[in-house]
Amino acid sequence: MGGIREDMHLADYRKGVDMVPSRDGYGHGLLWLCEHDDRVVVCDADLAKSTRTIWVRDKFPEKHVDFGISEQDMLAEAGGMSRTGLVPFVTTYGVFVAGRAWDQVRTSICYGDLNVKIGGAHGGISVGPDGPTHQSLEEIPLMRVLPGMTLVVPTDAPECQKATIWAASHEGPVYLRFGREGVPVITTEETPFTVGRAEVYRDGDDVAIIACGPLVYEALVAADTLAKEGIDARVINCHTIKPMDVDTVVTAARECGAVVTAEEAQVYGGLGGAIAEVICQHCPVPMRIVGIEDTFGESGSPRELLDRYGMNSGNIIAKVKEVLKMKK
Amino acid sequence: MVETKELEEISRKIRRDIMVMLAEAGSGHSGGSLSAVEVLVSLFWNILKHDPENPAWEERDWFVLSKGHACPVLYAVLAARGYFPRETLWTLRKLDSILQGHPHRLKTPGVEFSTGSLGQGLSLATGAAMGLKRQGKPNSVFVLTGDGEQTEGAIWEAGMTAAHYRLDNLCAVCDRNYLMIDGNTEEVMGLDPLPDKWRAFKWHVIEVDGHDLRQLTYAYQRFILEKKRPTMIIANTIKGRGVSFMENQADWHGAAPKKGEQVQQALADLGFTAPWEEYMKHDFDWLG
Ligand SMILES: Cc1ncc(C[n+]2csc(CCOP(=O)(O)OP(=O)(O)O)c2C)c(N)n1
Ligand SMILES: [Mg+2]
């Protein structure tokens, strides 16, 4: 029987978890960078408070630039600044950057390989009562298809902080996707984090659950329930969607023989799509995708929405049962 | 024409419903809803050709809320005009409600376009005005933008298009409350001289006190008479207008009054003294 890997130094989530929004990790990461990296400049589009760039504005006002509500302009201007040696962290909600400013990200930033970091806030349906206009569900595919882009979906606030700090050290475009709501803190300072490397948090070889963002926690909870039924699930935190850790995914597919992915996003083209591409080409096994089934969300509380749109541990368990039947 | 006195009373009650609705929802946008009350009341009671029984009426004038976050004011107005029962207001932002956190045309009668991503509504309205005009239809299109919203480049792209095609059936209003989320517009991203910018873009520009119902009605009438140019009414307003602790406070942009004492205080400022839930409970005469 497998189990949680000691060397991952996870928080003891079974005893209860702290709920912290991942955006806080982004804010703390920015503060650290402002103190340690002269090149960093934080760009904001009239959303300082909710994206946490206000922490920078308060403490390092000279490092904060507000563009007003002009996301497309901000993205291209960040590209301009990056050519002068600065490292801009451009911050707004996912819908407004990955969506509205996609062409600027594609042609000016990725095609031109400009050193721009993008903080995509308010990812996922857990944005809640603001409704579908603000619930970003499509950034993973939108950013993943761009050559040269690095795309990270941190699982919790500490991981988001590590990813933010890492981004400054990387040369080239980076997109960080994080959420609004408090989510379980499952990692610690000692938890390994390397961009481009998926971490196996729980050993098991009946089925592999590959998740990103807050659904890694749901996957761990699902695995605990499955264990009681004698099903041994491997749980993988696949925080880096691009570049994908092909080895870890293929190994999981080969050793477990069945895969379920889980993400707080559309089921098309996201983490599930990325994993399917790997599995189909390298080691075809039964697979299912947990996510939003090709629809927009609605207003409601985060918990209600995650349940209604099928992104809790129960939904993961149901998909695991499906792939296990196919596996036989 | 509804008397100004009566419109003032309606405005007060719209503000009451906005506050109660937001308190019950537990989240949402107070400031920009309160600043736009008179802009909508004068339009929906005195100017707009519309039929609440038949929102898709061919001969209606269109209204587009480009600053979609201010939908509480639109919902309160639509309910008061009979598009849906007033009780619906208390479902705002809740699961299964027809009243989404930002306007959605497929869920709410009277909503022409789904908005909430700023800087798109003026283009939608311009497109509608162009479509109507090309088909020789007499309908007018009204659209309300925020002032912060006008820092979006797309606003100015639409501005060029509307003037270029001489869309005199298009009337935009800018809710000039001088606040966006991060602070004063002139500190975050200066817009002034805003009226001159629109004049340079070849629009017919009218500046009014956006809480003066007489001035607003007059401005809309001037739009109707104007030929060959789109009209931009710059409505000078106060964000959070009517609720003392919200007025001119950027922090009340995206916050709702708390149930209990806080919403009670807001209602008191508006001259309503009954316990706040009372205004939800019975379907009393709306204007009573
Ligand atoms: C494209 C886009 N970017 C950012 C936001 C987030 N946002 C919502 S309201 C707002 C400020 C709007 O200010 P203003 O237009 O002045 O509105 P008002 O003062 O009338 O409420 C912002 C930045 C958004 N809804 N859409
Ligand atoms: Mg404003």
Side-chain angles (χ1 to χ4, degrees):
Chain A
M1 205 65 184
I4 294 294
R5 289 180 56 156
E6 296 284 327
D7 57 345
M8 289 297 123
H9 303 284
L10 296 185
D12 194 353
Y13 65 89
R14 292 185 181 109
K15 286 207 180 123
V17 282
D18 287 338
M19 302 292 277
V20 180
S22 300
R23 56 180 166 160
D24 287 8
Y26 181 69
H28 288 302
L30 291 181
L31 284 178
W32 189 93
L33 285 170
C34 286
E35 232 160 286
H36 294 91
D37 191 335
D38 286 343
R39 305 168 304 151
V40 167
V41 51
V42 176
C43 305
D44 173 34
D46 196 32
L47 285 169
K49 206 151 113 192
S50 57
T51 61
R52 303 303 192 236
T53 57
I54 198 165
W55 297 352
V56 171
R57 192 177 83 176
D58 288 346
K59 236 182 136 184
F60 303 94
E62 74 288 354
K63 297 218 166 233
H64 178 268
V65 187
D66 209 320
F67 286 83
I69 315 167
S70 63
E71 295 82 5
Q72 296 170 310
D73 169 56
M74 172 169 71
L75 264 290
E77 291 207 26
M81 277 195 277
S82 76
R83 290 275 289 117
T84 71
L86 295 178
V87 180
F89 277 71
V90 180
T91 320
T92 182
Y93 296 168
V95 273
F96 306 137
V97 58
R100 192 189 207 94
W102 188 82
D103 184 27
Q104 279 79 1
V105 177
R106 175 191 181 268
T107 302
S108 292
I109 295 173
C110 287
Y111 178 50
D113 192 25
L114 299 183
N115 196 22
V116 174
K117 319 302 166 185
I118 303 170
H122 284 42
I125 201 161
S126 56
V127 164
D130 267 347
T133 54
H134 288 55
Q135 296 160 354
S136 192
L137 305 174
E138 298 84 14
E139 333 85 292
I140 301 178
L142 282 170
M143 291 295 112
R144 186 169 85 77
V145 294
L146 294 172
M149 178 61 88
T150 298
L151 170 56
V152 184
V153 184
T155 185
D156 61 9
E159 192 168 277
C160 192
Q161 181 171 346
K162 291 176 196 169
T164 305
I165 291 169
W166 171 85
S169 70
H170 172 78
E171 186 70 28
V174 176
Y175 189 101
L176 306 169
R177 186 215 204 217
F178 46 87
R180 175 188 195 280
E181 275 304 297
V183 293
V185 174
I186 57 171
T187 68
T188 63
E189 217 169 299
E190 289 84 56
T191 304
F193 174 77
T194 307
V195 169
R197 192 187 143 95
E199 296 293 353
V200 178
Y201 279 1
R202 187 187 193 283
D203 284 324
D205 50 21
D206 291 333
V207 61
I209 308 173
I210 304 177
C212 66
L215 286 219
V216 177
Y217 169 75
E218 298 292 329
L220 289 168
V221 172
D224 284 345
T225 307
L226 289 165
K228 288 185 198 129
E229 301 176 30
I231 298 165
D232 206 8
R234 180 177 305 187
V235 176
I236 298 174
N237 175 6
C238 189
H239 48 68
T240 308
I241 313 292
K242 189 178 195 174
M244 178 53 72
D245 181 351
V246 174
D247 284 350
T248 301
V249 173
V250 172
T251 304
R254 195 175 49 238
E255 292 178 359
C256 301
V259 171
V260 170
T261 63
E263 66 202 291
E264 199 187 327
Q266 300 283 2
V267 291
Y268 293 142
L271 171 70
I275 300 291
E277 288 160 16
V278 172
I279 289 180
C280 284
Q281 297 185 80
H282 299 284
C283 179
V285 295
M287 181 185 160
R288 284 287 181 268
I289 298 171
V290 172
I292 294 162
E293 306 272 353
D294 194 24
T295 177
F296 290 105
E298 65 188 291
S299 290
S301 76
R303 191 69 257 168
E304 285 171 334
L305 294 172
L306 288 165
D307 291 344
R308 169 168 294 186
Y309 289 87
M311 284 160 291
N312 60 30
S313 57
N315 304 112
I316 296 175
I317 291 169
K319 296 282 189 199
V320 164
K321 302 259 164 96
E322 279 181 45
V323 287
L324 287 178
K325 254 189 224 140
M326 295 161 71
K327 181 182 165 188
K328 286 252 160 75
Chain B
M1 231 5 96
V2 184
E3 288 298 316
T4 303
K5 270 268 159 298
E6 195 181 327
L7 290 183
E8 279 168 0
E9 190 51 16
I10 291 170
S11 300
R12 198 169 72 90
K13 279 159 183 160
I14 293 289
R15 285 197 166 85
R16 171 197 67 199
D17 285 1
I18 292 170
M19 285 295 96
V20 174
M21 190 191 327
L22 284 166
E24 177 59 22
S27 68
H29 298 80
S30 296
S33 298
L34 292 173
S35 64
V37 170
E38 284 82 8
V39 167
L40 264 72
V41 166
S42 52
L43 184 64
F44 273 80
W45 268 266
N46 266 350
I47 301 290
L48 206 70
K49 238 171 111 181
H50 67 133
D51 179 6
E53 304 273 285
N54 180 16
W57 181 38
E58 285 264 334
E59 287 166 43
R60 75 187 182 283
D61 291 331
W62 296 43
F63 175 72
V64 181
L65 186 66
S66 190
K67 48 170 245 178
H69 58 277
C71 53
V73 63
L74 176 60
Y75 296 157
V77 163
L78 290 175
R81 300 264 40 195
Y83 281 83
F84 45 79
R86 189 165 166 273
E87 303 88 89
T88 310
L89 295 178
W90 326 131
T91 66
L92 172 72
R93 292 179 158 245
K94 293 180 184 170
L95 203 61
D96 293 321
S97 174
I98 66 162
L99 304 182
Q100 293 293 294
H102 291 77
H104 186 29
R105 74 176 198 93
L106 300 180
K107 288 207 168 156
T108 314
V111 169
E112 302 281 2
F113 291 111
S114 301
T115 53
S117 182
L118 293 170
Q120 301 189 22
L122 185 60
S123 299
L124 289 164
T126 302
M130 190 184 294
L132 291 163
K133 209 174 200 26
R134 289 177 78 92
Q135 297 172 77
K137 304 228 169 106
N139 322 45
S140 294
V141 179
F142 296 86
V143 50
L144 175 62
T145 80
D147 52 356
E149 181 180 17
Q150 297 207 351
T151 61
E152 279 285 1
I155 291 284
W156 302 94
E157 297 175 25
M160 272 184 279
T161 307
H164 184 80
Y165 289 103
R166 300 168 182 263
L167 299 178
D168 52 17
N169 57 343
L170 177 67
C171 178
V173 183
C174 175
D175 186 346
R176 188 66 170 124
N177 55 30
Y178 276 89
L179 283 177
M180 49 211 295
I181 293 181
D182 285 352
N184 185 290
T185 56
E186 302 315 290
E187 282 160 27
V188 176
M189 184 53 62
L191 284 161
D192 274 336
L194 191 58
D196 287 345
K197 281 185 174 140
W198 284 106
R199 280 187 204 106
F201 271 61
K202 300 184 187 163
W203 282 54
H204 169 222
V205 177
I206 309 172
E207 291 177 74
V208 297
D209 173 345
H211 300 303
D212 185 322
L213 290 149
R214 233 180 255 114
Q215 285 189 31
L216 281 163
T217 301
Y218 181 59
Y220 288 129
Q221 287 165 339
R222 280 179 58 199
F223 149 71
I224 292 165
L225 298 175
E226 180 68 23
K227 293 284 163 263
K228 305 269 184 235
R229 289 188 297 177
T231 293
M232 174 66 66
I233 299 175
I234 311 250
N236 291 303
T237 60
I238 293 170
K239 201 155 173 170
R241 165 81 169 199
V243 176
S244 55
F245 57 92
M246 293 184 178
E247 284 194 0
N248 282 319
Q249 298 300 317
D251 280 347
W252 279 103
H253 166 86
K258 287 197 185 57
K259 290 181 181 180
E261 219 172 283
Q262 199 170 47
V263 66
Q264 204 62 59
Q265 177 59 46
L267 292 181
D269 284 355
L270 298 166
F272 296 99
T273 49
W276 72 280
E277 293 113 315
E278 292 293 309
Y279 297 104
M280 272 192 307
K281 257 191 213 147
H282 38 102
D283 196 25
F284 59 84
D285 171 14
W286 182 85
L287 292 171

